[in-house]
Amino acid sequence: MGVENKRFINRTRRMEKLIILVPYPAQGHVTPMVKLGRAIHTHGFQPLLITPASIHAKICDNDRKEEHHGPADPVAYVPVPDIRGGAGMQSDFFGIEKVMENEMPQHLDRIIRQLEEGGGMVVCLVVDLLASWAIEVGKRRDILVAGFWPAMFATYGLFGDIPDMVQSGFISQSGLPVEEGATRSLPEQPLMINAQELPWMIGDLTCRQARFQFWIRILHRSASLSCLLVNSFSGEARCWDDEDPQNAMGRNILLNTSSKTLLPHQILIPPTLLLVGALNMQAQADTTPSFWDQDDGCLRWLDKQRSSSVLYISFGSWVSPISEAQTKSLASALEATMQPFLWVLGSNWRHGLPEGFINRVSNQGKLVFWAPQTQVLQHEAVGCFLSHCGWNSTIEAIQFQKKLLCYPIAGDQFINCKFVVDVWKIGMRVHCFQQKDLEEGIQMVTGNDEMGSRLAKLKEIFMGRKAISGAANSLAVFIRHIQNRHKHL
């Protein structure tokens, strides 16, 4: 274990109540878990967030570059070694999975042991379900384990519906669509999903089957959890009572498990289901650790633009955003429309830009490698948001009242998009980046007063006083859950 870990562990002699947070090693998973950790700290626990060394180094480096005027971060960050040979965790999905399954458990086990030997007491592990390997570590060490779902609860319900998808012939035992173009309703939702939009349908045939097995393993491991913290809100889905969202807390939902050959035991939504998303969104510009160096110059550029005139474009940080052909098409459409824009586009994907594009549009728009998104979305110059519909981006758009142009790419983004377009009606989907499509999309959302009204109502439902009170109650239930396990607390 490194020097930094030892220094922290030496300080745990005065820290009796430690809660270890284990996120999946991606920006969109670390961010909400850090916010959850900060909320947990207010209840007298010390949150300790585990990240691979390569990510930890980036977080610390960017943290040193930023000016901090507020209190120190109450979340402590401890690195664990990542891929042998120093290749880092920012590799492909399957490289990360291999490290998580084969190497991370021993590192977490050693950290827990050394914390306890140093006088600390690990009272709970909060485990991102995509990092389900840590559930097994907690079980072996007889530590209370709570699950954390960083996305909509509706997407969790989709994964829990896998047995019935197999039984009904919608997908095969290996997770592949049985009939091309087939559709199916989301569990307890009036929405249809295409088989090609299932979250594991990424890459070639072998990749899709392997990703499906990744989710099957998560469902098996999650069956032992007694508590699930969800980064979402009451009123998100129709299976919850919008008038009294607390009625949904603690509901035990038994999903269809007729396909015994696929999943031999019942899949349960954990009996304590707690919605904590409103707590995560209280701060208007909460600073959370970034893996990338943010370009604050884009904020000064926005200061010079007209109110509601700028199209903000970001396709997230995880999967490859859009293809080279799509990048070229979007760039050409932006240039042709003369639409002011702020585009987040990493260096790895800029080779798709038309030759001379950046110079030609220097007076029209701005490209950055990474942006302080919450500050950008708060800016009055931003009129709408062209997004991949990642969950963090979606709820930030609601928080800061920005209408959405949706271009989902992978994973849960298709489901999020369906809620944005068909349920909440606060945006529209674009299917290609031709000039006409972009112009029509921008015109339809920016000039739509009804979308603005729905955005305001949705923000109140998700993040108003009642929502925050409900989330605070949910967190209090979680704290009591820990205290019941450790009576001396």
Side-chain angles (χ1 to χ4, degrees), residues 226-246:
S226 60
C227 179
L228 181 66
L229 301 163
V230 184
N231 185 34
S232 194
F233 313 84
S234 61
E236 168 221 294
R238 294 191 182 183
C239 63
W240 292 336
D241 183 354
D242 290 354
E243 296 302 318
D244 185 8
Q246 289 306 306

Side-chain angles (χ1 to χ4, degrees), residues 49-62:
L49 188 131
I50 303 295
T51 56
S54 56
I55 289 176
H56 180 83
K58 292 177 181 179
I59 290 174
C60 292
D61 184 54
N62 288 326

Side-chain angles (χ1 to χ4, degrees), residues 285-324:
D286 194 11
T287 301
T288 52
S290 174
F291 297 4
W292 292 275
D293 199 359
Q294 298 179 145
D295 185 346
D296 293 331
C298 65
L299 300 176
R300 294 187 291 274
W301 180 84
L302 286 171
D303 289 339
K304 301 175 184 178
Q305 309 307 312
R306 291 182 294 107
S307 177
S308 301
S309 66
V310 175
L311 173 66
Y312 174 57
I313 307 166
S314 178
F315 298 109
S317 61
W318 181 228
V319 296
S320 176
I322 52 178
S323 69
E324 183 173 334

Side-chain angles (χ1 to χ4, degrees), residues 115 149 179 277 474:
L115 287 168
W149 185 248
E179 181 182 346
S474 288

